[in-house]
Amino acid sequence: VLKKQPEKWQLLIEPESLNICFWHVPSKARGLPPGKERDQLLDEATLKIRRALQVAGKCLVNYSDLPGVHGHFFRMISCNPNATKGDMDFVINH
């Protein structure tokens, strides 16, 4: 899902395990070149979205950061054998 919408989602690195690190790219950041302004918008969006999902009780998605390199990004570890594509789509769509 993330790779099919590169204008909306950006992987931090290509997943090599169950750990998927990504940003939601807000409309204000789309088209901006890599750099401090874009990184700040991605960081702010990550924190805002995570908090909104948590407060609404929809889901709890982990996040992390690389101080001095990148701001906050979503960090999902998908190791639940009972998780369905629908479950993953729910998280991404919200």
Side-chain angles (χ1 to χ4, degrees):
V1 173
L2 300 178
K3 288 183 177 183
K4 291 180 182 177
Q5 298 177 329
E7 72 286 349
K8 193 172 180 182
W9 306 101
Q10 180 183 336
L11 291 171
L12 183 69
I13 58 170
E14 187 66 29
E16 295 180 5
S17 64
L18 302 174
N19 191 357
I20 303 169
C21 299
F22 63 95
W23 290 282
H24 166 70
V25 182
S27 57
K28 292 187 280 187
R30 295 175 193 167
L32 286 178
K36 188 175 181 176
E37 180 183 4
R38 187 173 189 277
D39 286 350
Q40 184 175 355
L41 290 170
L42 297 177
D43 179 73
E44 291 170 359
T46 299
L47 296 176
K48 182 179 178 180
I49 292 167
R50 182 186 184 274
R51 181 72 179 145
L53 289 171
Q54 182 181 17
V55 167
K58 296 207 181 268
C59 57
L60 182 60
V61 180
N62 198 10
Y63 67 98
S64 188
D65 70 335
L66 294 171
V69 180
H70 292 291
H72 294 90
F73 52 88
F74 292 107
R75 182 174 176 256
M76 281 185 61
I77 300 172
S78 55
C79 60
N80 182 345
N82 295 318
T84 65
K85 182 181 181 312
D87 295 330
M88 296 294 104
D89 288 344
F90 176 85
V91 173
I92 297 302
N93 290 330
H94 284 88

